Amino acid sequence: MKEVAIKIENLDYCYPGNVVALKNINITIYKNEIVGLIGQNGAGKTTLLKNLLGLLKPTKGKVSIEGTDTSKLNVAQLAARQGFVLQNPDRQLFADTVEKEIAFGPQNLGLTEAEVQSRVEEAMEAVSVTKFREEYPLSLSKGDRAKVVIASVLAMKPQIIILDEPTTGQDYLGCLQVMQIVKELHKRGHTVIIVTHHMPLVAEYAERTIVLCKGEILLDGSTREVFARPEILEKTFITPPQITQLAQRLEKKMGITSKVLSVEEMGEAILYAIGSDRIKDM
């Protein structure tokens, strides 16, 4: 039986002035899942994240992290259970060396100096920033700054990692480095939530995708099934990756499955379709 990492039950959230941001949200995320959270600007993604992180309290319903109601945990306790990586890494960097940056969180947990140092070394090695330990974090490339932020989160040893637009502003190499870290975190058993507007990234890395629209859940299922519903995605101004759109257009003409997520899958689908046609002609 799958273990539950996050459970959101009947969640509503209203801002002052009775501005409804979330309506009847019910989500169960299991341990070691990679989940994509998508939706247009204003769909409610940020409000949902803030409720997860304890920065906002539900107007109605509840959020549980690893079986504990978040209303019974303070922000520091929640930070030890789930780490959050902001869209802009510069907003999370403040120390004068990479090593001090990564050590800050564990030090505030009241750990021994030896345990803090052990966590720092492990986190730096996990994201390959050990060579920058004495460097000023903001002097690094954007890709390396993002890795330092991820390391500072890992040093807290949370089981759940939430990344908000992790590849925004990154060049190709930076994107690749960050997402390789995400894959490695998944291999180590972490639950990963990726909030993004980049659909090819969701297609490649997320096993499951949750779509928000006007504060409600529009779709929640395997990424392959979600992207196979373009008519519903249109309601939140989202289009599937281009390769998926191409497959959907070729479905009737060539018999290609509309659930293609990558160029490699498209190639296989075309070869299969051509092969089937040849067999019919024999």
Side-chain angles (χ1 to χ4, degrees), residues 89-98 100-105 107-108 136-138 148-149 152:
D90 297 353
R91 293 183 179 179
Q92 285 179 264
L93 297 171
F94 57 89
D96 56 8
T97 70
V98 166
K100 290 179 181 178
E101 185 74 47
I102 299 169
F104 180 80
Q107 286 170 342
N108 282 275
Y136 179 50
L138 290 171
V148 171
V149 170
S152 68

mmCIF file of all heavy atoms in Angstrom, residues 89-98 100-105 107-108 136-138 148-149 152:
data_model
loop_
_atom_site.group_PDB
_atom_site.id
_atom_site.type_symbol
_atom_site.label_atom_id
_atom_site.label_comp_id
_atom_site.label_asym_id
_atom_site.label_seq_id
_atom_site.Cartn_x
_atom_site.Cartn_y
_atom_site.Cartn_z
ATOM 1 N N PRO A 89 16.324 31.983 -7.392
ATOM 2 C CA PRO A 89 17.195 31.545 -6.299
ATOM 3 C C PRO A 89 17.805 32.692 -5.508
ATOM 4 O O PRO A 89 18.107 32.543 -4.324
ATOM 5 C CB PRO A 89 18.288 30.732 -7.025
ATOM 6 C CG PRO A 89 18.255 31.191 -8.437
ATOM 7 C CD PRO A 89 16.829 31.538 -8.702
ATOM 8 N N ASP A 90 17.950 33.856 -6.142
ATOM 9 C CA ASP A 90 18.579 34.989 -5.463
ATOM 10 C C ASP A 90 17.781 35.444 -4.245
ATOM 11 O O ASP A 90 18.326 36.044 -3.318
ATOM 12 C CB ASP A 90 18.735 36.169 -6.433
ATOM 13 C CG ASP A 90 19.661 35.830 -7.591
ATOM 14 O OD1 ASP A 90 20.276 34.741 -7.550
ATOM 15 O OD2 ASP A 90 19.765 36.628 -8.535
ATOM 16 N N ARG A 91 16.480 35.162 -4.221
ATOM 17 C CA ARG A 91 15.644 35.564 -3.090
ATOM 18 C C ARG A 91 15.875 34.690 -1.857
ATOM 19 O O ARG A 91 15.397 35.005 -0.782
ATOM 20 C CB ARG A 91 14.170 35.511 -3.485
ATOM 21 C CG ARG A 91 13.786 36.542 -4.539
ATOM 22 C CD ARG A 91 12.307 36.482 -4.837
ATOM 23 N NE ARG A 91 11.903 37.481 -5.817
ATOM 24 C CZ ARG A 91 10.670 37.636 -6.262
ATOM 25 N NH1 ARG A 91 9.706 36.841 -5.808
ATOM 26 N NH2 ARG A 91 10.385 38.566 -7.149
ATOM 27 N N GLN A 92 16.578 33.571 -2.037
ATOM 28 C CA GLN A 92 16.833 32.677 -0.914
ATOM 29 C C GLN A 92 18.294 32.688 -0.470
ATOM 30 O O GLN A 92 18.658 31.968 0.453
ATOM 31 C CB GLN A 92 16.404 31.243 -1.281
ATOM 32 C CG GLN A 92 14.899 31.050 -1.284
ATOM 33 C CD GLN A 92 14.484 29.640 -1.659
ATOM 34 O OE1 GLN A 92 14.170 29.374 -2.809
ATOM 35 N NE2 GLN A 92 14.467 28.737 -0.697
ATOM 36 N N LEU A 93 19.111 33.478 -1.130
ATOM 37 C CA LEU A 93 20.534 33.505 -0.809
ATOM 38 C C LEU A 93 20.883 34.766 -0.028
ATOM 39 O O LEU A 93 20.490 35.868 -0.409
ATOM 40 C CB LEU A 93 21.361 33.455 -2.104
ATOM 41 C CG LEU A 93 21.187 32.182 -2.946
ATOM 42 C CD1 LEU A 93 21.875 32.344 -4.298
ATOM 43 C CD2 LEU A 93 21.734 30.968 -2.216
ATOM 44 N N PHE A 94 21.623 34.613 1.056
ATOM 45 C CA PHE A 94 21.962 35.776 1.876
ATOM 46 C C PHE A 94 23.319 35.665 2.574
ATOM 47 O O PHE A 94 23.892 36.667 2.986
ATOM 48 C CB PHE A 94 20.892 35.993 2.966
ATOM 49 C CG PHE A 94 20.700 34.802 3.859
ATOM 50 C CD1 PHE A 94 21.459 34.649 5.006
ATOM 51 C CD2 PHE A 94 19.766 33.831 3.540
ATOM 52 C CE1 PHE A 94 21.292 33.535 5.820
ATOM 53 C CE2 PHE A 94 19.588 32.730 4.359
ATOM 54 C CZ PHE A 94 20.350 32.588 5.497
ATOM 55 N N ALA A 95 23.858 34.456 2.709
ATOM 56 C CA ALA A 95 25.121 34.269 3.429
ATOM 57 C C ALA A 95 26.308 34.667 2.556
ATOM 58 O O ALA A 95 26.177 34.828 1.335
ATOM 59 C CB ALA A 95 25.262 32.821 3.883
ATOM 60 N N ASP A 96 27.483 34.807 3.182
ATOM 61 C CA ASP A 96 28.647 35.257 2.400
ATOM 62 C C ASP A 96 29.474 34.117 1.827
ATOM 63 O O ASP A 96 30.407 34.351 1.070
ATOM 64 C CB ASP A 96 29.529 36.207 3.219
ATOM 65 C CG ASP A 96 29.980 35.597 4.533
ATOM 66 O OD1 ASP A 96 29.750 34.398 4.751
ATOM 67 O OD2 ASP A 96 30.574 36.336 5.344
ATOM 68 N N THR A 97 29.143 32.866 2.171
ATOM 69 C CA THR A 97 29.769 31.719 1.512
ATOM 70 C C THR A 97 28.713 30.638 1.281
ATOM 71 O O THR A 97 27.693 30.588 1.972
ATOM 72 C CB THR A 97 30.916 31.088 2.338
ATOM 73 O OG1 THR A 97 30.365 30.421 3.490
ATOM 74 C CG2 THR A 97 31.938 32.119 2.765
ATOM 75 N N VAL A 98 28.991 29.783 0.332
ATOM 76 C CA VAL A 98 28.074 28.680 0.027
ATOM 77 C C VAL A 98 27.917 27.767 1.240
ATOM 78 O O VAL A 98 26.808 27.351 1.591
ATOM 79 C CB VAL A 98 28.604 27.882 -1.182
ATOM 80 C CG1 VAL A 98 27.875 26.543 -1.315
ATOM 81 C CG2 VAL A 98 28.476 28.702 -2.457
ATOM 82 N N LYS A 100 28.210 28.449 4.452
ATOM 83 C CA LYS A 100 27.383 29.078 5.488
ATOM 84 C C LYS A 100 25.914 29.103 5.078
ATOM 85 O O LYS A 100 25.026 28.953 5.922
ATOM 86 C CB LYS A 100 27.887 30.492 5.770
ATOM 87 C CG LYS A 100 29.230 30.546 6.490
ATOM 88 C CD LYS A 100 29.669 31.989 6.709
ATOM 89 C CE LYS A 100 31.019 32.055 7.414
ATOM 90 N NZ LYS A 100 31.479 33.466 7.579
ATOM 91 N N GLU A 101 25.680 29.302 3.794
ATOM 92 C CA GLU A 101 24.305 29.315 3.278
ATOM 93 C C GLU A 101 23.613 27.985 3.564
ATOM 94 O O GLU A 101 22.487 27.937 4.068
ATOM 95 C CB GLU A 101 24.323 29.563 1.765
ATOM 96 C CG GLU A 101 22.967 29.719 1.130
ATOM 97 C CD GLU A 101 22.317 31.052 1.444
ATOM 98 O OE1 GLU A 101 22.989 32.088 1.326
ATOM 99 O OE2 GLU A 101 21.126 31.040 1.818
ATOM 100 N N ILE A 102 24.302 26.913 3.254
ATOM 101 C CA ILE A 102 23.717 25.584 3.410
ATOM 102 C C ILE A 102 23.599 25.201 4.887
ATOM 103 O O ILE A 102 22.676 24.479 5.285
ATOM 104 C CB ILE A 102 24.556 24.553 2.633
ATOM 105 C CG1 ILE A 102 24.548 24.912 1.133
ATOM 106 C CG2 ILE A 102 24.029 23.138 2.835
ATOM 107 C CD1 ILE A 102 25.548 24.136 0.303
ATOM 108 N N ALA A 103 24.497 25.713 5.703
ATOM 109 C CA ALA A 103 24.497 25.369 7.133
ATOM 110 C C ALA A 103 23.415 26.096 7.923
ATOM 111 O O ALA A 103 23.027 25.650 9.012
ATOM 112 C CB ALA A 103 25.862 25.697 7.743
ATOM 113 N N PHE A 104 22.894 27.197 7.390
ATOM 114 C CA PHE A 104 21.969 28.039 8.154
ATOM 115 C C PHE A 104 20.749 27.275 8.662
ATOM 116 O O PHE A 104 20.386 27.365 9.836
ATOM 117 C CB PHE A 104 21.529 29.233 7.295
ATOM 118 C CG PHE A 104 20.570 30.151 8.010
ATOM 119 C CD1 PHE A 104 21.028 31.088 8.923
ATOM 120 C CD2 PHE A 104 19.197 30.076 7.777
ATOM 121 C CE1 PHE A 104 20.146 31.934 9.591
ATOM 122 C CE2 PHE A 104 18.308 30.915 8.440
ATOM 123 C CZ PHE A 104 18.788 31.834 9.351
ATOM 124 N N GLY A 105 20.091 26.531 7.786
ATOM 125 C CA GLY A 105 18.891 25.802 8.179
ATOM 126 C C GLY A 105 19.133 24.785 9.271
ATOM 127 O O GLY A 105 18.478 24.815 10.330
ATOM 128 N N GLN A 107 21.504 24.594 11.399
ATOM 129 C CA GLN A 107 21.910 25.254 12.645
ATOM 130 C C GLN A 107 20.695 25.717 13.436
ATOM 131 O O GLN A 107 20.681 25.678 14.666
ATOM 132 C CB GLN A 107 22.818 26.446 12.334
ATOM 133 C CG GLN A 107 24.221 26.053 11.912
ATOM 134 C CD GLN A 107 25.035 27.223 11.373
ATOM 135 O OE1 GLN A 107 24.485 28.261 11.004
ATOM 136 N NE2 GLN A 107 26.351 27.052 11.303
ATOM 137 N N ASN A 108 19.641 26.126 12.727
ATOM 138 C CA ASN A 108 18.439 26.599 13.399
ATOM 139 C C ASN A 108 17.535 25.468 13.880
ATOM 140 O O ASN A 108 16.504 25.712 14.503
ATOM 141 C CB ASN A 108 17.659 27.547 12.482
ATOM 142 C CG ASN A 108 18.271 28.933 12.442
ATOM 143 O OD1 ASN A 108 18.004 29.773 13.288
ATOM 144 N ND2 ASN A 108 19.137 29.167 11.460
ATOM 145 N N TYR A 136 31.209 33.246 -2.748
ATOM 146 C CA TYR A 136 30.034 34.057 -2.440
ATOM 147 C C TYR A 136 28.893 33.566 -3.332
ATOM 148 O O TYR A 136 29.015 33.571 -4.557
ATOM 149 C CB TYR A 136 30.338 35.526 -2.724
ATOM 150 C CG TYR A 136 29.204 36.486 -2.472
ATOM 151 C CD1 TYR A 136 28.488 36.474 -1.272
ATOM 152 C CD2 TYR A 136 28.851 37.420 -3.454
ATOM 153 C CE1 TYR A 136 27.455 37.366 -1.055
ATOM 154 C CE2 TYR A 136 27.814 38.322 -3.236
ATOM 155 C CZ TYR A 136 27.118 38.279 -2.032
ATOM 156 O OH TYR A 136 26.086 39.157 -1.820
ATOM 157 N N PRO A 137 27.784 33.088 -2.768
ATOM 158 C CA PRO A 137 26.733 32.455 -3.576
ATOM 159 C C PRO A 137 26.241 33.291 -4.752
ATOM 160 O O PRO A 137 26.032 32.766 -5.854
ATOM 161 C CB PRO A 137 25.602 32.229 -2.553
ATOM 162 C CG PRO A 137 26.304 32.094 -1.248
ATOM 163 C CD PRO A 137 27.471 33.041 -1.327
ATOM 164 N N LEU A 138 26.057 34.596 -4.555
ATOM 165 C CA LEU A 138 25.506 35.435 -5.610
ATOM 166 C C LEU A 138 26.496 35.701 -6.739
ATOM 167 O O LEU A 138 26.123 36.281 -7.765
ATOM 168 C CB LEU A 138 25.003 36.755 -5.029
ATOM 169 C CG LEU A 138 23.740 36.626 -4.160
ATOM 170 C CD1 LEU A 138 23.442 37.937 -3.447
ATOM 171 C CD2 LEU A 138 22.546 36.199 -5.006
ATOM 172 N N VAL A 148 22.773 25.673 -5.191
ATOM 173 C CA VAL A 148 23.061 26.015 -3.792
ATOM 174 C C VAL A 148 21.769 26.086 -2.987
ATOM 175 O O VAL A 148 21.695 25.599 -1.845
ATOM 176 C CB VAL A 148 23.834 27.351 -3.692
ATOM 177 C CG1 VAL A 148 23.940 27.806 -2.237
ATOM 178 C CG2 VAL A 148 25.224 27.210 -4.304
ATOM 179 N N VAL A 149 20.734 26.673 -3.574
ATOM 180 C CA VAL A 149 19.443 26.756 -2.884
ATOM 181 C C VAL A 149 18.889 25.349 -2.642
ATOM 182 O O VAL A 149 18.385 25.049 -1.556
ATOM 183 C CB VAL A 149 18.439 27.600 -3.699
ATOM 184 C CG1 VAL A 149 17.039 27.485 -3.103
ATOM 185 C CG2 VAL A 149 18.874 29.056 -3.712
ATOM 186 N N SER A 152 20.692 23.827 0.201
ATOM 187 C CA SER A 152 20.273 24.366 1.501
ATOM 188 C C SER A 152 18.966 23.733 1.953
ATOM 189 O O SER A 152 18.727 23.538 3.144
ATOM 190 C CB SER A 152 20.136 25.896 1.430
ATOM 191 O OG SER A 152 19.054 26.276 0.609
#
